[in-house]
Structure formats: C-alpha cells, structure tokens
Amino acid sequence: MNWAEALESPSPSALAWRLLVARTNRVAVSRCLELYRVLSSSQADAVLLRYRLGLPEAKAADVMGRQPEDFGCLLRSAVRSFAA
C-alpha cells in the first residue's frame, strides 16, 4: 500500500490500526494472552486502546474505524465477557 491510497481511504487511522494489528498481533497476543483467549480480537483491541493506552472512547473508535456508539457497545460487551 502506498501513502496516497492510505490517505484517500475513508479512515486512514482505521487502516493504520489494521496494518499495525496485522504486524504486531503475535506480540500483543503473547503479552495479553488471557485477554485474547477470552475476547474476540476486536473486543481485545478495544480494551487495549481504551484501558491500556488510555485513549478516550471517541478516539479509540476512530482508530478502529468504528462509530463511537458501536465502539461503546463493543467495549461494554468485552468488559462483560471478560468479567464472566
């Protein structure tokens, strides 16, 4: 992928997040194995962005290329799943 394509995409930050996850997924899983065992990768990513990296929900949603309300639902379901 080149920069022009990335910048023309509907959400460059979401594209960057997907590329980062694809490159670092093995490292993230090894460090947060329990989180990724219990949750889907999207849920685990949401938890990491919000609680580990401390991003506000709106920014974390933007990074993942999701609407804020969708991200909120994803995060709440992740917390419920992890607590169960």
Side-chain angles (χ1 to χ4, degrees):
M1 170 157 293
N2 63 48
W3 280 108
E5 287 179 74
L7 294 174
E8 291 173 0
S9 72
S11 178
S13 60
L15 175 61
W17 178 254
R18 286 192 301 274
L19 293 172
L20 179 64
V21 167
R23 297 278 182 174
T24 62
N25 204 24
R26 283 176 273 155
V27 173
V29 170
S30 68
R31 290 191 178 160
C32 303
L33 195 55
E34 186 62 26
L35 188 63
Y36 280 88
R37 277 189 206 153
V38 175
L39 304 174
S40 71
S41 61
S42 293
Q43 289 174 320
D45 290 346
V47 169
L48 289 173
L49 286 168
R50 178 66 184 104
Y51 298 118
R52 180 71 174 158
L53 298 178
L55 294 179
E57 281 193 32
K59 181 63 178 170
D62 185 49
V63 167
M64 289 184 69
R66 295 181 176 268
Q67 295 298 316
E69 51 277 353
D70 295 337
F71 181 84
C73 289
L74 182 65
L75 190 59
R76 285 188 296 280
S77 70
V79 170
R80 280 193 305 269
S81 294
F82 198 71

